[in-house]
Amino acid sequence: MALLDQSLFHYSLLSIYLIGPPTFISLKFLQAPYGKHHRPGWGPTISPPLAWILMESPTLWLTLLLFPYGQHFTNPKALILMSPFLLHYFHRTCIYPLRIYRNSKTTGGFPVSVAVMAFGFNLLNAYLQVRWVSHYKSDYDGGLFWWKFFGGLVVFVWGMRINTWADGVLLGLKKEGGGYKVPRGGWFELVSCPNYFGEIMEWLGWAVMTWSWAGFGFLLYTCANLVPRACANHEWYLEKFKEDYPKSRKAVIPFLC
């Protein structure tokens, strides 16, 4: 049984590295059809709040199911280390959909096909992160554990603050109605997609906290998924608002790209 789980973990870890490059390449040419890039032809749709709840939910229920089976289940350090991951996904699964429901006046649907793909990725990723933290991580007694944890936590919390703040600005603009507007203020003066920048910083912090190939693989996949979409959003803003859109803004990384 242990050998089977080791094999499953190994091939799951390999998978998250293998799916990153094709995800990045495909998203350079074809954006997922929701939000600004919504378009027909992707099959049936469901409401965006319901889609977010369903596709993000494995990160909560699978984590809670698997964690008690890890050898570090009773280790307080493992419980503390898992908490930032759960915090992010509690917000993304439970709070963010409620914010969409309350603030968005749009009625566009979310393609079920996209939600299913996201659900599959979250199954894979939740399994990797929880099994690493609860079972395979071996340096809980090392002297550097708390240095890595608190160093990564600072980056994680900073990123989550940027992410949730930017989401709030965008949802506030939607609530006003009247179509898309140019977001302004704060991090929006530096990049078109500070919500994506914040999320990348979160998972950079997570990679430092876990100090693992699983955490680093998640960071790489996050970049592969979000950087092309941020670039597409940036181009969309430039085409829609033309001279009214600040030319000094980058797409996702301040001062760089």
Side-chain angles (χ1 to χ4, degrees), residues 143-204:
L144 293 178
F145 172 81
W146 289 115
W147 288 99
K148 290 180 287 190
F149 176 75
F150 284 115
L153 184 64
V154 169
V155 178
F156 181 93
V157 171
W158 179 57
M160 188 168 183
R161 183 176 180 182
I162 295 171
N163 178 257
T164 55
W165 169 81
D167 282 343
V169 171
L170 294 173
L171 290 171
L173 292 177
K174 287 184 179 181
K175 187 177 182 180
E176 292 176 4
Y180 284 100
K181 302 177 179 66
V182 177
R184 299 190 182 276
W187 285 89
F188 280 105
E189 300 305 317
L190 297 176
V191 293
S192 295
C193 301
N195 49 336
Y196 295 162
F197 171 67
E199 186 153 352
I200 291 170
M201 290 299 101
E202 284 184 73
W203 302 125
L204 171 61

Side-chain angles (χ1 to χ4, degrees), residues 83-177:
S83 297
F85 183 86
L86 287 171
L87 175 64
H88 171 91
Y89 280 109
F90 176 78
H91 175 267
R92 190 60 67 192
T93 305
C94 302
I95 298 175
Y96 180 67
L98 184 60
R99 295 176 76 187
I100 295 177
Y101 178 76
R102 288 180 173 177
N103 291 288
S104 179
K105 292 185 177 181
T106 61
T107 57
F110 196 106
V112 173
S113 57
V114 175
V116 168
M117 287 187 285
F119 182 89
F121 171 78
N122 283 321
L123 276 177
L124 169 68
N125 188 53
Y127 167 76
L128 279 173
Q129 307 309 321
V130 70
R131 285 304 282 168
W132 175 258
V133 172
S134 70
H135 193 74
Y136 290 111
K137 187 173 174 63
S138 60
D139 63 346
Y140 283 113
D141 295 327
L144 293 178
F145 172 81
W146 289 115
W147 288 99
K148 290 180 287 190
F149 176 75
F150 284 115
L153 184 64
V154 169
V155 178
F156 181 93
V157 171
W158 179 57
M160 188 168 183
R161 183 176 180 182
I162 295 171
N163 178 257
T164 55
W165 169 81
D167 282 343
V169 171
L170 294 173
L171 290 171
L173 292 177
K174 287 184 179 181
K175 187 177 182 180
E176 292 176 4

Side-chain angles (χ1 to χ4, degrees), residues 51-89:
W52 281 100
I53 291 171
L54 294 177
M55 68 187 183
E56 301 289 300
S57 65
T59 57
L60 295 182
W61 57 258
L62 188 59
T63 299
L64 297 177
L65 281 175
L66 288 180
F67 198 90
Y69 292 96
Q71 63 176 328
H72 304 302
F73 170 54
T74 58
N75 188 335
K77 290 182 179 178
L79 294 170
I80 292 170
L81 182 55
M82 203 72 232
S83 297
F85 183 86
L86 287 171
L87 175 64
H88 171 91
Y89 280 109

Side-chain angles (χ1 to χ4, degrees), residues 28-40:
K28 291 290 288 184
F29 301 99
L30 183 65
Q31 285 303 310
Y34 66 91
K36 297 177 181 64
H37 307 284
H38 176 77
R39 57 191 182 277

